[in-house]
Amino acid sequence: MENPTAKSTDSFGCPFDKLYKDQTIRGAGLTVLRKGSREAFLQQVSTPASNRGFAVGVSTVPGHARRIFHEHHATRHVFDHDSVYIRSLGEDYKADLEAPFDFLLLEISPESLALIAEEADLPTVAALNTITAHPDPVLANLGRALIPALEHPEKASRLFVDQLTAAIGTHVVQQYGDRAAATGSRPRKLSRAQENVAKSLILENLHGNMSVADLAQACSLSILPPT
Protein backbone atom coordinates (compact mmCIF):
# COMPACT_ATOMS: atom_id res chain seq x y z
CA MET A 1 0.00 0.00 0.00
CA GLU A 2 1.34 3.46 -0.90
CA ASN A 3 2.12 5.89 1.87
CA PRO A 4 -0.03 9.05 1.42
CA THR A 5 2.37 11.08 3.57
CA ALA A 6 5.16 10.46 1.06
CA LYS A 7 3.11 12.26 -1.58
CA SER A 8 2.14 15.21 0.60
CA THR A 9 5.66 16.20 1.70
CA ASP A 10 8.89 16.98 -0.13
CA SER A 11 12.26 15.29 0.39
CA PHE A 12 12.91 17.52 3.43
CA GLY A 13 9.61 16.71 5.12
CA CYS A 14 7.86 20.01 4.27
CA PRO A 15 4.16 19.78 3.28
CA PHE A 16 3.74 20.75 -0.38
CA ASP A 17 0.58 22.70 0.37
CA LYS A 18 2.49 24.98 2.78
CA LEU A 19 5.18 25.97 0.26
CA TYR A 20 4.78 29.03 -1.92
CA LYS A 21 8.29 28.49 -3.34
CA ASP A 22 9.35 25.05 -4.55
CA GLN A 23 11.94 25.32 -7.31
CA THR A 24 14.80 23.11 -8.48
CA ILE A 25 17.71 23.30 -10.92
CA ARG A 26 20.85 21.23 -11.39
CA GLY A 27 24.36 22.36 -12.18
CA ALA A 28 27.92 21.04 -11.93
CA GLY A 29 26.56 17.74 -10.56
CA LEU A 30 24.72 19.46 -7.69
CA THR A 31 21.02 19.96 -6.95
CA VAL A 32 19.92 23.50 -6.05
CA LEU A 33 16.47 24.09 -4.56
CA ARG A 34 14.48 27.03 -3.24
CA LYS A 35 11.88 26.37 -0.56
CA GLY A 36 9.67 29.05 0.97
CA SER A 37 6.66 29.14 3.28
CA ARG A 38 4.59 32.01 4.69
CA GLU A 39 3.22 29.90 7.54
CA ALA A 40 3.82 31.24 11.07
CA PHE A 41 4.13 27.66 12.30
CA LEU A 42 4.74 24.74 9.99
CA GLN A 43 3.94 21.26 11.21
CA GLN A 44 6.88 19.33 12.60
CA VAL A 45 9.13 18.19 9.78
CA SER A 46 11.15 15.01 9.87
CA THR A 47 13.37 13.17 7.42
CA PRO A 48 14.80 9.67 7.87
CA ALA A 49 18.50 9.03 7.33
CA SER A 50 19.48 8.48 3.70
CA ASN A 51 22.56 8.26 1.51
CA ARG A 52 21.88 11.58 -0.24
CA GLY A 53 24.91 13.26 1.36
CA PHE A 54 24.66 16.75 2.84
CA ALA A 55 22.21 19.66 2.80
CA VAL A 56 23.42 23.25 2.77
CA GLY A 57 20.77 25.91 3.43
CA VAL A 58 20.99 29.69 3.04
CA SER A 59 18.29 31.87 4.61
CA THR A 60 17.32 34.72 2.29
CA VAL A 61 15.05 36.39 4.89
CA PRO A 62 15.60 37.17 8.60
CA GLY A 63 13.56 35.88 11.51
CA HIS A 64 13.08 32.21 10.74
CA ALA A 65 13.32 30.04 13.87
CA ARG A 66 13.38 26.30 14.37
CA ARG A 67 13.58 23.90 17.28
CA ILE A 68 15.77 20.94 16.38
CA PHE A 69 15.32 17.68 18.29
CA HIS A 70 18.43 15.69 19.14
CA GLU A 71 18.62 12.31 20.83
CA HIS A 72 18.44 13.61 24.42
CA HIS A 73 17.73 17.35 24.05
CA ALA A 74 16.46 20.07 21.73
CA THR A 75 18.04 23.31 20.57
CA ARG A 76 16.37 26.47 19.22
CA HIS A 77 17.98 28.59 16.51
CA VAL A 78 17.03 31.92 14.94
CA PHE A 79 18.25 32.64 11.42
CA ASP A 80 19.34 36.12 10.43
CA HIS A 81 19.56 37.27 6.83
CA ASP A 82 22.33 35.27 5.08
CA SER A 83 22.53 32.65 7.85
CA VAL A 84 23.64 29.18 6.76
CA TYR A 85 23.08 25.67 8.03
CA ILE A 86 24.76 22.42 7.04
CA ARG A 87 23.55 18.99 8.10
CA SER A 88 24.22 15.42 7.15
CA LEU A 89 21.33 13.73 5.38
CA GLY A 90 22.74 10.47 6.70
CA GLU A 91 21.19 11.20 10.11
CA ASP A 92 17.54 11.28 11.19
CA TYR A 93 16.23 14.85 11.45
CA LYS A 94 13.25 16.31 13.29
CA ALA A 95 12.42 19.98 13.85
CA ASP A 96 9.57 22.41 14.57
CA LEU A 97 9.62 25.30 12.08
CA GLU A 98 8.31 28.30 13.99
CA ALA A 99 8.30 31.16 11.46
CA PRO A 100 8.08 31.84 7.72
CA PHE A 101 11.18 30.98 5.71
CA ASP A 102 12.79 31.28 2.30
CA PHE A 103 15.81 29.01 1.88
CA LEU A 104 18.17 28.28 -0.96
CA LEU A 105 19.22 24.65 -0.54
CA LEU A 106 22.10 22.71 -1.99
CA GLU A 107 22.26 18.92 -1.92
CA ILE A 108 25.81 17.58 -2.20
CA SER A 109 26.57 13.88 -2.41
CA PRO A 110 29.81 12.45 -0.95
CA GLU A 111 30.94 11.73 -4.52
CA SER A 112 30.37 15.37 -5.48
CA LEU A 113 32.38 16.54 -2.45
CA ALA A 114 35.36 14.47 -3.55
CA LEU A 115 35.06 15.69 -7.15
CA ILE A 116 34.77 19.36 -6.13
CA ALA A 117 37.86 19.06 -3.95
CA GLU A 118 39.83 17.36 -6.72
CA GLU A 119 38.90 19.88 -9.42
CA ALA A 120 39.70 22.81 -7.10
CA ASP A 121 43.05 21.21 -6.13
CA LEU A 122 41.97 20.99 -2.49
CA PRO A 123 42.68 18.25 0.08
CA THR A 124 40.30 15.31 -0.13
CA VAL A 125 37.00 15.93 1.71
CA ALA A 126 34.57 13.16 2.59
CA ALA A 127 32.16 15.12 4.83
CA LEU A 128 31.04 18.61 5.81
CA ASN A 129 31.04 20.10 9.30
CA THR A 130 27.61 20.59 10.86
CA ILE A 131 26.64 24.24 11.50
CA THR A 132 23.34 25.98 12.25
CA ALA A 133 22.43 29.67 11.79
CA HIS A 134 26.00 30.60 10.92
CA PRO A 135 26.53 33.89 8.98
CA ASP A 136 28.14 33.47 5.55
CA PRO A 137 27.55 36.50 3.28
CA VAL A 138 29.82 35.09 0.57
CA LEU A 139 27.78 31.91 0.18
CA ALA A 140 24.54 33.91 0.47
CA ASN A 141 25.51 36.28 -2.34
CA LEU A 142 26.61 33.40 -4.58
CA GLY A 143 23.31 31.64 -3.90
CA ARG A 144 21.20 34.73 -4.58
CA ALA A 145 22.76 35.01 -8.02
CA LEU A 146 20.98 31.73 -8.86
CA ILE A 147 17.49 33.02 -7.99
CA PRO A 148 16.69 34.25 -11.54
CA ALA A 149 17.66 30.83 -12.91
CA LEU A 150 15.42 29.13 -10.34
CA GLU A 151 12.54 31.46 -11.20
CA HIS A 152 12.90 30.92 -14.96
CA PRO A 153 14.93 27.75 -15.61
CA GLU A 154 13.84 27.71 -19.27
CA LYS A 155 15.72 31.00 -19.80
CA ALA A 156 18.78 30.16 -17.72
CA SER A 157 22.19 29.77 -19.33
CA ARG A 158 23.47 26.25 -18.62
CA LEU A 159 27.06 27.53 -18.67
CA PHE A 160 26.22 30.25 -16.13
CA VAL A 161 24.46 27.79 -13.82
CA ASP A 162 27.31 25.28 -14.03
CA GLN A 163 29.98 27.90 -13.34
CA LEU A 164 28.08 29.41 -10.42
CA THR A 165 27.25 26.09 -8.79
CA ALA A 166 30.90 25.06 -9.20
CA ALA A 167 31.95 28.25 -7.38
CA ILE A 168 29.40 27.57 -4.63
CA GLY A 169 30.60 24.00 -4.24
CA THR A 170 34.24 25.11 -4.03
CA HIS A 171 33.41 27.69 -1.35
CA VAL A 172 31.48 25.12 0.71
CA VAL A 173 34.29 22.57 0.52
CA GLN A 174 36.94 25.17 1.36
CA GLN A 175 35.05 26.65 4.31
CA TYR A 176 33.28 23.64 5.79
CA GLY A 177 35.06 20.52 4.53
CA ASP A 178 35.83 18.06 7.31
CA ARG A 179 39.38 17.04 6.51
CA ALA A 180 39.49 14.85 9.63
CA ALA A 181 36.94 12.57 7.96
CA ALA A 182 39.14 12.05 4.92
CA THR A 183 41.10 8.81 4.82
CA GLY A 184 44.70 8.77 3.72
CA SER A 185 46.44 11.59 1.93
CA ARG A 186 46.09 12.53 -1.70
CA PRO A 187 49.33 12.94 -3.63
CA ARG A 188 50.04 16.37 -5.03
CA LYS A 189 48.59 16.69 -8.53
CA LEU A 190 48.41 19.39 -11.15
CA SER A 191 45.25 21.47 -11.11
CA ARG A 192 43.06 21.36 -14.22
CA ALA A 193 44.47 24.71 -15.41
CA GLN A 194 48.08 23.65 -14.79
CA GLU A 195 47.49 20.38 -16.62
CA ASN A 196 46.15 22.26 -19.66
CA VAL A 197 49.18 24.58 -19.69
CA ALA A 198 51.59 21.66 -19.46
CA LYS A 199 49.87 19.70 -22.26
CA SER A 200 49.83 22.76 -24.51
CA LEU A 201 53.54 23.43 -24.01
CA ILE A 202 54.48 19.81 -24.64
CA LEU A 203 52.48 19.69 -27.88
CA GLU A 204 54.02 22.96 -29.07
CA ASN A 205 57.54 21.70 -28.36
CA LEU A 206 57.52 18.07 -29.44
CA HIS A 207 60.83 18.57 -31.28
CA GLY A 208 62.27 21.25 -29.02
CA ASN A 209 64.23 21.36 -25.80
CA MET A 210 61.40 21.83 -23.30
CA SER A 211 62.72 20.79 -19.88
CA VAL A 212 60.93 19.77 -16.71
CA ALA A 213 62.12 23.04 -15.16
CA ASP A 214 60.49 24.99 -18.01
CA LEU A 215 57.20 23.16 -17.47
CA ALA A 216 57.35 23.72 -13.72
CA GLN A 217 57.98 27.43 -14.19
CA ALA A 218 55.06 27.75 -16.62
CA CYS A 219 52.81 26.03 -14.07
CA SER A 220 54.15 28.14 -11.16
CA LEU A 221 55.61 25.06 -9.47
CA SER A 222 58.97 24.24 -7.99
CA ILE A 223 60.88 21.07 -8.81
CA LEU A 224 62.94 21.39 -5.63
CA PRO A 225 62.05 18.94 -2.87
CA PRO A 226 60.35 20.49 0.19
CA THR A 227 62.67 21.41 3.05
Side-chain angles (χ1 to χ4, degrees), residues 90-171:
E91 301 174 0
D92 293 335
Y93 184 80
K94 184 183 296 184
D96 288 339
L97 307 187
E98 301 174 358
F101 63 85
D102 190 335
F103 274 92
L104 292 169
L105 300 169
L106 188 71
E107 278 195 32
I108 309 180
S109 68
E111 294 78 15
S112 292
L113 281 179
L115 183 60
I116 291 167
E118 180 179 356
E119 292 189 343
D121 197 28
L122 297 170
T124 300
V125 170
L128 296 176
N129 294 311
T130 299
I131 58 171
T132 308
H134 174 77
D136 189 337
V138 173
L139 181 56
N141 284 319
L142 287 171
R144 267 196 297 272
L146 280 171
I147 289 179
L150 283 159
E151 295 280 2
H152 302 286
E154 73 283 357
K155 298 179 181 179
S157 163
R158 173 52 53 192
L159 179 60
F160 171 79
V161 172
D162 284 346
Q163 289 180 332
L164 194 52
T165 49
I168 290 172
T170 299
H171 175 78

Side-chain angles (χ1 to χ4, degrees), residues 4-161:
T5 303
K7 291 185 176 181
S8 63
T9 60
D10 67 6
S11 60
F12 291 92
C14 295
F16 283 118
D17 61 355
K18 303 294 184 181
L19 296 175
Y20 79 98
K21 290 287 185 184
D22 187 15
Q23 303 162 337
T24 306
I25 57 172
R26 288 186 59 80
L30 309 179
T31 301
V32 182
L33 309 98
R34 188 181 182 190
K35 303 282 185 177
S37 175
R38 297 189 177 97
E39 298 292 318
F41 181 83
L42 203 66
Q43 70 183 49
Q44 186 177 90
V45 300
S46 62
T47 52
S50 70
N51 61 356
R52 286 156 50 198
F54 299 85
V56 181
V58 180
S59 180
T60 67
V61 296
H64 172 65
R66 64 178 58 186
R67 189 165 181 250
I68 302 173
F69 296 91
H70 308 279
E71 185 175 2
H72 300 297
H73 68 288
T75 56
R76 188 175 185 274
H77 306 270
V78 178
F79 287 76
D80 290 327
H81 192 65
D82 295 350
S83 291
V84 172
Y85 77 80
I86 298 176
R87 68 180 180 89
S88 170
L89 297 173
E91 301 174 0
D92 293 335
Y93 184 80
K94 184 183 296 184
D96 288 339
L97 307 187
E98 301 174 358
F101 63 85
D102 190 335
F103 274 92
L104 292 169
L105 300 169
L106 188 71
E107 278 195 32
I108 309 180
S109 68
E111 294 78 15
S112 292
L113 281 179
L115 183 60
I116 291 167
E118 180 179 356
E119 292 189 343
D121 197 28
L122 297 170
T124 300
V125 170
L128 296 176
N129 294 311
T130 299
I131 58 171
T132 308
H134 174 77
D136 189 337
V138 173
L139 181 56
N141 284 319
L142 287 171
R144 267 196 297 272
L146 280 171
I147 289 179
L150 283 159
E151 295 280 2
H152 302 286
E154 73 283 357
K155 298 179 181 179
S157 163
R158 173 52 53 192
L159 179 60
F160 171 79
V161 172

